[in-house]
Amino acid sequence: MNKKKHSKPQGEEEILEENEPKRQTQEEQTAAEDAKEASPEEETSKADKYFEQLVRLQADFENYRKRTEKEKPQLISYGKFETLRKLLPLYDTLLKAEAESSKPEANMQHIKQGLKMIFEQFDKLFKAEGVKIISAKGKPYDPMTQEVVTTIPCPPEQDGIVLEELAAGVEIEGKTVRPAQVIVGKSSEEAAK
């Protein structure tokens, strides 16, 4: 028998007989099996197996879709519940202010103090929820965050400036919830054109 020496990367030598078949790795065996032509029955069996997997995946997806459709109203309901729970203390304070103001001996100082407490509670709630009040008065008109209700004549240096704010703008997480409703100055020169 003829023997061949093959060097290994680590310097070891392996002696193989010429007639000895080469050992196949697992990947080579799999590739060889795939290369063999499968019988029509095996192909049909594989196709049936893949079809069953597809049907199962489709059913799983349909179940997932139905489950999320059921959960969506629950999540919306939970959001409403949380919002209402946070607004109830403000409502209670407003009721107390109303009761105080309807008394014949109503003290204007108490009413003012009650209103101040209500605004402090709103500010605290807004801050906790990431709500920001957009102040526009005295600033240039911004069509992205402001809505012009009307324009009034003004000197040229106030042209395009918000002169009055009818309703404050509100944004949450950088998105405008309600644009500020404003009155913008328009110089008489612009009006003439």
Side-chain angles (χ1 to χ4, degrees), residues 4 17 31 42 44 54 75-76 92 96 98 124 133 137 144 160 170 174 185:
K4 289 186 179 179
E17 293 185 14
E42 290 174 345
T44 304
L54 178 64
L75 292 172
I76 292 170
D92 293 339
K96 289 176 188 174
E98 181 189 29
K124 188 176 177 181
I133 303 299
K137 189 172 182 179
M144 300 304 288
V170 180

Side-chain angles (χ1 to χ4, degrees), residues 58-69:
Q58 189 175 13
D60 288 345
F61 179 75
E62 192 63 28
N63 290 338
Y64 168 77
R65 190 183 60 75
K66 287 177 183 177
R67 186 175 64 246
T68 55
E69 283 179 9

Side-chain angles (χ1 to χ4, degrees), residues 100-124:
E100 184 67 30
S101 67
S102 63
K103 292 180 182 177
E105 69 280 349
N107 183 343
M108 195 56 144
Q109 190 62 28
H110 287 161
I111 294 172
K112 285 182 180 179
Q113 186 179 6
L115 285 172
K116 184 179 177 187
M117 288 172 53
I118 291 168
F119 284 113
E120 287 172 355
Q121 287 178 332
F122 266 113
D123 289 340
K124 188 176 177 181

